[in-house]
Amino acid sequence: PDTGATQPRGRMRARTAFAITALFAALTVARGMEFDLVDRGASSPEGNMKCVQEELKRKTLVMFSYETPDRTHINIRLFDPDGGSIWNNSDTHRGSYAFTTKIEGDHKACFYKTTVDDPADLKHHKVRLDWKTGVAVMDYEKIAQGKHVNKVADSLRRLEADLRDTHETMLWLRRKEAELRDLNEATNSRVTWLSIMTLVVCVGLCVWQVMFLNQFFQRKKLL
């Protein structure tokens, strides 16, 4: 057998598999951020909420955790796209929550401090938020330890979950694209009819103005 040709093919396949794994790992949604609280001059603490929102598909597994580095106690409220309250936690410097979305749209997490002695000090209070969705929520290391599977099986399980999540995301994006395309076509149709009506009105006004001026000059015996 030609071993010289087999080895490069094996290396090429290994590189391809590694590239595919890295690609789907990059598609895993896991966002970490840090921000400060704000003071908008509102009379109530709820009016000074600092909110972070994320557009999520229906039936998406979501888990987020938060903490304040200086251990400042804050309040958090989680809202669905319709403005309904999903979860709230009061007077604590850290917390976490997991849920599955029921409707599609922008989900919002809002943070605020109940008692504020000096509004200018709010910018010094930081909040660290770790927002995970889909495959990123699952802890594959614990799964591997619990079921005593080897690293290859764990990698395959992770890759399968990434593929499934990516497939669902692509289907969701396709639906979004179809909705936007229909909206664009409807808008173009309305703009076309509006242009035609505007042109007809302008031509009608021009004809009426010419006839009116013609009759006016005839009455004045200027023509």
Side-chain angles (χ1 to χ4, degrees):
D2 189 358
T3 57
T6 303
Q7 292 179 356
R9 289 180 181 177
R11 287 196 294 269
M12 185 178 297
R13 291 176 180 174
R15 292 175 182 174
T16 304
F18 176 77
I20 293 175
T21 304
L23 174 63
F24 287 112
L27 293 175
T28 300
V29 180
R31 292 182 174 85
M33 63 188 73
E34 182 174 303
F35 51 88
D36 55 356
L37 300 177
V38 295
D39 174 45
R40 298 187 177 91
S43 58
S44 62
E46 291 81 359
N48 294 321
M49 291 191 297
K50 181 66 173 287
C51 299
V52 179
Q53 66 180 15
E54 180 76 16
E55 185 177 6
L56 300 172
K57 306 188 300 291
R58 184 172 175 268
K59 294 183 179 180
T60 298
L61 182 61
V62 182
M63 179 175 182
F64 68 90
S65 58
Y66 69 93
E67 65 174 347
T68 54
D70 58 357
R71 303 180 69 85
T72 299
H73 284 210
I74 59 175
N75 304 325
I76 176 175
R77 290 185 178 181
L78 183 64
F79 300 96
D80 61 17
D82 293 336
S85 178
I86 299 177
W87 178 73
N88 62 81
N89 197 14
S90 303
D91 197 24
T92 178
H93 72 280
R94 65 187 303 177
S96 61
Y97 184 68
F99 67 99
T100 301
T101 59
K102 296 181 179 180
I103 56 179
E104 179 181 321
D106 292 331
H107 290 70
K108 185 166 57 176
C110 297
F111 302 84
Y112 65 97
K113 198 171 184 298
T114 305
T115 56
V116 180
D117 297 330
D118 186 3
D121 290 339
L122 285 175
K123 63 182 180 180
H124 300 298
H125 297 300
K126 303 292 183 181
V127 179
R128 292 175 182 170
L129 176 63
D130 186 17
W131 192 303
K132 297 180 180 180
T133 62
V135 181
V137 178
M138 302 179 67
D139 191 344
Y140 286 94
E141 293 182 359
K142 291 182 178 179
I143 295 176
Q145 293 175 0
K147 296 186 178 180
H148 303 287
V149 295
N150 55 31
K151 294 183 178 179
V152 176
D154 182 45
S155 299
L156 291 174
R157 189 189 301 272
R158 187 190 302 269
L159 181 59
E160 179 185 4
D162 286 339
L163 287 169
R164 187 182 300 109
D165 185 70
T166 303
H167 177 67
E168 294 177 355
T169 302
M170 294 299 294
L171 293 177
W172 177 71
L173 290 175
R174 182 179 298 178
R175 291 196 302 270
K176 282 288 185 180
E177 181 184 3
E179 293 175 1
L180 291 176
R181 184 175 62 251
D182 294 340
L183 179 61
N184 288 333
E185 292 177 354
T187 303
N188 291 335
S189 178
R190 292 174 182 175
V191 170
T192 301
W193 281 108
L194 179 62
S195 301
I196 294 174
M197 292 177 60
T198 303
L199 181 61
V200 171
V201 171
C202 290
V203 172
L205 287 175
C206 290
V207 173
W208 174 80
Q209 188 173 18
V210 170
M211 294 177 62
F212 174 79
L213 291 175
N214 188 21
Q215 294 177 359
F216 175 78
F217 290 137
Q218 286 181 355
R219 285 196 303 269
K220 297 296 183 179
K221 298 182 180 180
L222 297 176
L223 292 179

